[in-house]
Amino acid sequence: GGAGVIRRSERTCYPMPAEVEMRLRERRGLEGLQNISGPEGSHCLGSYCVRCLVWRPPSSSAHHCQVCSRCVTGFDHHCGVFGRCIVRGNMFCFVCLIAMLPCGFITAFLAIVTGGTTPGTLP
């Protein structure tokens, strides 16, 4: 799995912003450092997440999930029940799964009301 996850690679991690590189070389933490905006007009460098150390695409709904500790695109929410981020890429499956709950209740209710018998058969 991992729909929408921005994976670490040379393409997503470099070029590393100067401030981040300097702090890492000096073995200082990145605490207090805000995400760094990419170059104006760049088609691939949007903002640099100082927690994941990856470039997020520009003009996307990329978000750092504090539960998963990773950046994802198309973020909607983190689902504690399923233990994963719900993003554009898995939203259809999530909605279908949630829709099955009332369908199950209706089926169980109808089975109880009808006594679980099929018309035209003996009990």
Side-chain angles (χ1 to χ4, degrees):
V5 173
I6 300 173
R7 304 216 181 276
R8 293 178 56 85
S9 68
E10 281 192 36
R11 186 181 62 78
T12 60
C13 294
Y14 297 103
M16 189 176 288
E19 175 70 14
V20 173
E21 185 176 356
M22 181 184 72
R23 284 189 181 206
L24 292 175
R25 287 185 188 276
E26 294 173 356
R27 298 191 188 278
R28 293 173 35 211
L30 300 176
E31 293 82 25
L33 190 61
Q34 298 294 317
N35 289 341
I36 300 166
S37 295
E40 195 68 36
S42 174
H43 296 292
C44 56
L45 304 177
S47 64
Y48 192 80
C49 178
V50 296
R51 294 171 298 279
C52 291
L53 303 179
V54 296
W55 283 102
R56 302 186 289 198
S59 67
S60 73
S61 55
H63 176 78
H64 180 84
C65 178
Q66 293 190 355
V67 179
C68 292
S69 292
R70 53 189 171 179
C71 282
V72 292
T73 58
F75 184 81
D76 185 70
H77 69 282
H78 182 87
C79 181
V81 174
F82 299 117
R84 63 182 46 235
C85 290
I86 305 303
V87 298
R88 243 181 262 119
N90 62 9
M91 182 63 75
F92 179 76
C93 295
F94 177 74
V95 170
C96 287
L97 193 61
I98 296 302
M100 285 186 210
L101 186 63
C103 292
F105 282 132
I106 291 169
T107 302
F109 176 75
L110 291 175
I112 291 169
V113 169
T114 62
T117 62
T118 308
T121 61
L122 297 174

